[in-house]
Amino acid sequence: MIFSTDFLLSLIIVAIIVGISAELMEIQETRMNERFRETYTRAKGATATDVLINTPGDPVNWEKLPVGTCRYPGLAVP
């Protein structure tokens, strides 16, 4: 026989260990991607809120202009 039973059994065990390791790495990568996406979304939301609250808008009378002509709205009193 070319392959002994011990060799085939050890090959199967190694394949199972490699498969489980790959699955665990995939799970960890998915968790990291979700955390990154959540952090990125929160940072963008905080930045947008800061711009809205701390600036008067561009141009200053943005609420009186037609839709689409202002660059960004703001709530601060100039």
Side-chain angles (χ1 to χ4, degrees), residues 16-76:
I16 290 172
I17 290 172
V18 168
I20 290 172
S21 297
E23 183 66 27
L24 290 174
M25 287 175 58
E26 179 69 28
I27 290 170
Q28 184 65 25
E29 183 180 349
T30 303
R31 287 181 186 166
M32 288 176 59
N33 285 341
E34 289 174 1
R35 283 189 199 136
F36 174 75
R37 189 179 310 123
E38 181 180 339
T39 304
Y40 179 77
T41 305
R42 284 186 182 184
K44 285 292 186 180
T47 303
T49 303
D50 286 343
V51 168
L52 182 66
I53 292 173
N54 297 326
T55 61
D58 185 32
V60 178
N61 61 347
W62 63 270
E63 68 275 356
K64 297 176 185 170
L65 298 173
V67 176
T69 56
C70 74
R71 293 188 191 144
Y72 56 88
L75 301 175

Side-chain angles (χ1 to χ4, degrees), residues 2-15:
I2 296 175
F3 296 111
S4 67
T5 306
D6 295 336
F7 179 72
L8 290 175
L9 183 60
S10 63
L11 191 62
I12 290 171
I13 291 172
V14 167

